[in-house]
Amino acid sequence: MADFLFEGTVVMNNSKHAIILDDHGLFADAFSLLLERYTLFDFVKTCNDVADFFTFLNAFNRESMVIFLDYYLREGNGLSLLSEINRINKNAKIVFLTSAMSPLLIQTLKRYNPAGILSKSCSVGTLKQCIEDVAAGKSFVDPLFQEILDQQEGQQLNFTAREIELLKHVANGETIAAIAEKMFLSPHTVIAHRRNMMAKAACQSMTHLVTLAKDQGLL
């Protein structure tokens, strides 16, 4: 059975792979060491930027693997990467990592049906349970997050990954023209998205909408 060579490391093609995408280097490296220490995977790849992540993913595009994906990234957010991940590797199972405690964010992540949603402050026992459930084809929500959802009341905002990506550009102070170019949209479409989001959130301005999104942990 053939092996693969990636960045000087030989990896057996029947290995249980894990990829960590988190641009906080210290956390990513510590998390990788934790996975290796408890031999939860045969091989763990740590990526601190999106380009490195997709280079690895393309190299192993037919392998079954678990991707631990940070929600908050410098280059957008984890939700904005889902369609490309699924296009490259349909065997990948995605577990979102986040330190946020926002019910709205957790509910938003759940709507995209990831294999798991895990708190960065979870215990080793919770991490092991998550990996076991994911391997068995079950979905996993950190008990801490589930408790928050169980206590949640009121109507939820249904922002899409694309809308959240656009909103982050707005929060960065970018113009409509710049957002349109980056997102491959027409300026008219950007304006329409902005209006739709304000209507969903019952906000009278983009400033109010950005503040609400930040308060709710979406940005």
Side-chain angles (χ1 to χ4, degrees), residues 15-195:
S15 296
K16 294 187 298 179
H17 299 333
I19 312 178
I20 302 166
L21 175 56
D22 192 307
D23 49 24
H24 297 86
L26 183 59
F27 173 84
D29 289 343
F31 189 52
S32 175
L33 290 173
L34 183 66
L35 294 178
E36 292 172 350
R37 175 183 176 184
Y38 288 96
T39 62
L40 299 175
F41 293 93
D42 297 332
F43 177 78
V44 180
K45 168 66 178 175
T46 301
C47 301
N48 299 132
D49 64 77
V50 173
D52 184 29
F53 169 76
F54 279 118
T55 296
F56 183 87
L57 191 63
N58 275 293
F60 295 90
N61 59 5
R62 296 185 180 181
E63 296 297 303
S64 297
M65 61 179 65
V66 177
I67 297 174
F68 292 95
L69 181 60
D70 189 17
Y71 174 76
Y72 295 112
L73 297 169
R74 286 189 298 269
E75 306 169 57
N77 62 63
L79 281 178
S80 66
L81 306 182
L82 288 185
S83 60
E84 184 66 5
I85 293 173
N86 291 328
R87 185 190 68 80
I88 294 172
N89 189 332
K90 299 188 185 303
N91 295 317
K93 296 182 178 181
I94 298 171
V95 175
F96 276 107
L97 296 171
T98 182
S99 56
M101 303 294 288
S102 160
L104 177 56
L105 174 57
I106 300 166
Q107 194 65 48
T108 299
L109 293 177
K110 280 192 68 177
R111 285 203 304 273
Y112 285 84
N113 297 314
I117 306 174
L118 198 60
S119 170
K120 286 189 173 183
S121 61
C122 74
S123 66
V124 173
T126 299
L127 172 61
K128 288 182 175 180
Q129 186 62 57
C130 174
I131 294 171
E132 288 177 6
D133 284 2
V134 169
K138 303 176 184 177
S139 60
F140 180 88
V141 177
D142 193 303
L144 177 63
F145 291 157
Q146 191 58 56
E147 182 178 350
I148 291 173
L149 292 176
D150 290 343
Q151 297 173 351
Q152 179 183 354
E153 295 181 359
Q155 184 177 1
Q156 294 305 302
L157 299 178
N158 294 316
F159 287 143
T160 66
R162 194 74 163 155
E163 288 174 334
I164 295 172
E165 180 183 359
L166 188 151
L167 197 55
K168 184 170 183 177
H169 289 305
V170 173
N172 289 338
E174 299 175 30
T175 65
I176 290 174
I179 295 171
E181 182 178 356
K182 286 184 177 180
M183 296 186 66
F184 304 102
L185 300 171
S186 69
H188 176 76
T189 302
V190 172
I191 293 172
H193 278 312
R194 286 162 50 114
R195 287 174 178 167

